[in-house]
Amino acid sequence: MSTNQPSILLVEDEENLHESLKLNLELEGYQVTSAWNGLEAVKAVQNEYFDLIVLDIMLPEMDGLTVMETIRIQNNEVPILILSARNTSADRVLGLKKGADDYLTKPFNLEELMLRVSKLIEKNKKLQDKETIGDTYTFGNNKVDFKAQEATTKNGEKIQLSKKEAMLLKLLIENKNEVVTREKILQAVWGYNVYPTTRTIDNFILNFRKYFEEDSRNPRYFHSVRGVGYKYSE
């Protein structure tokens, strides 16, 4: 299910505008998922990875600001572009305060919307592409060779890593001391847009502890952050 097309969640309850935006975004090469109310939007974000959310403020079931707060509380940093008929500076400030990355008032110029969408997706991609580490990495008595998919464990034993193990190790190490969300891991390593069970990642983390930790019950390097994701620290 991996795709190179950036994925956008479009949250807009006005049918004609929704269909017009969806068509134009798809023509630009984006993969668009539709949500027609606030609850649908929150559910979609919990089940799928998105590169951007285009979010109307006036929505049935749950308004756009509440949707945004709910998403941000879950530590999800997905870029959010607000579309709103409210055009006072107080409304804009409130929207940005609640976690929006950009704010566009209706009626808007379609070309301007497309430009803002493209810029937000590009900016997000740059943030996600962290400075990469080299082909080999050493920590404690452990050494990892990502290219050869090999590691030397704490006991000096050479082991073969699976491709997914090497990718996950690299992702965690490149984000050293930062929590990497389960969503980001599943998207980056497995390439899923719709997530499978996260037990898969748990098993990988348990393996890493077995290979690399002096005491796997009290890990120094590989940590699980309950309800959020995983962290590599030194």
Side-chain angles (χ1 to χ4, degrees):
M1 276 202 62
S2 173
T3 173
N4 292 326
Q5 286 179 299
S7 56
I8 294 175
L9 176 64
L10 175 60
V11 194
E12 169 61 67
D13 67 318
E14 206 278 288
E15 199 169 340
N16 290 340
L17 178 58
H18 189 119
E19 292 305 335
S20 160
L21 286 175
K22 187 173 191 285
L23 180 65
N24 279 283
L25 288 165
E26 285 175 342
L27 286 171
E28 290 290 323
Y30 300 116
Q31 197 181 358
V32 182
T33 299
S34 292
W36 299 87
N37 63 54
L39 289 177
E40 274 182 24
V42 169
K43 204 171 173 185
V45 171
Q46 286 166 348
N47 290 327
E48 289 185 49
Y49 172 89
F50 296 103
D51 293 289
L52 175 69
I53 299 173
V54 177
L55 178 66
D56 184 26
I57 290 282
M58 307 288 280
L59 290 167
E61 306 286 346
M62 183 192 280
D63 70 86
L65 292 177
T66 310
V67 169
M68 197 154 52
E69 278 186 304
T70 308
I71 290 167
R72 293 298 184 231
I73 284 166
Q74 293 163 352
N75 282 320
N76 192 324
E77 293 303 316
V78 56
I80 297 174
L81 168 60
I82 279 188
L83 301 180
S84 176
R86 300 175 183 168
N87 59 5
T88 69
S89 59
D91 288 318
R92 293 176 72 91
V93 167
L94 182 63
L96 295 166
K97 241 183 190 169
K98 297 276 188 187
D101 296 86
D102 204 349
Y103 192 105
L104 197 56
T105 54
K106 299 175 178 178
F108 49 80
N109 175 301
L110 188 63
E111 204 175 333
E112 184 185 355
L113 172 74
M114 292 303 165
L115 198 59
R116 289 183 184 221
V117 162
S118 158
K119 282 197 161 175
L120 281 172
I121 287 176
E122 198 51 46
K123 184 178 166 191
N124 186 48
K125 191 176 183 311
K126 278 183 187 155
L127 285 176
Q128 297 223 1
D129 293 343
K130 292 266 179 186
E131 187 186 333
T132 56
I133 49 177
D135 288 336
T136 60
Y137 187 81
T138 305
F139 57 103
N141 294 323
N142 307 293
K143 186 178 178 184
V144 183
D145 184 331
F146 297 106
K147 211 170 185 181
Q149 285 173 221
E150 272 181 0
T152 307
T153 68
K154 56 184 189 294
N155 307 323
E157 184 191 343
K158 269 209 159 140
I159 56 164
Q160 202 62 42
L161 297 169
S162 71
K163 190 178 180 191
K164 294 270 190 288
E165 281 179 324
M167 285 169 79
L168 178 53
L169 260 180
K170 196 165 198 208
L171 180 68
L172 291 172
I173 291 169
E174 282 176 352
N175 290 274
K176 186 165 74 171
N177 298 326
E178 287 179 31
V179 178
V180 184
T181 63
R182 290 184 305 251
E183 290 81 5
K184 185 170 172 183
I185 289 171
L186 289 164
Q187 175 69 12
V189 178
W190 275 265
Y192 292 138
N193 267 16
V194 179
Y195 310 137
T197 169
T198 55
R199 204 168 295 156
T200 315
I201 309 174
D202 288 330
N203 290 336
F204 274 59
I205 298 294
L206 288 173
N207 282 344
F208 292 165
R209 287 177 183 162
K210 204 165 63 187
Y211 303 152
F212 305 121
E213 301 281 7
E214 290 294 337
D215 178 359
S216 60
R217 286 173 181 275
N218 296 296
R220 177 184 166 189
Y221 303 111
F222 297 97
H223 307 275
S224 299
V225 182
R226 190 183 289 276
V228 184
Y230 305 84
K231 181 170 80 167
Y232 167 81
S233 56
E234 281 187 35

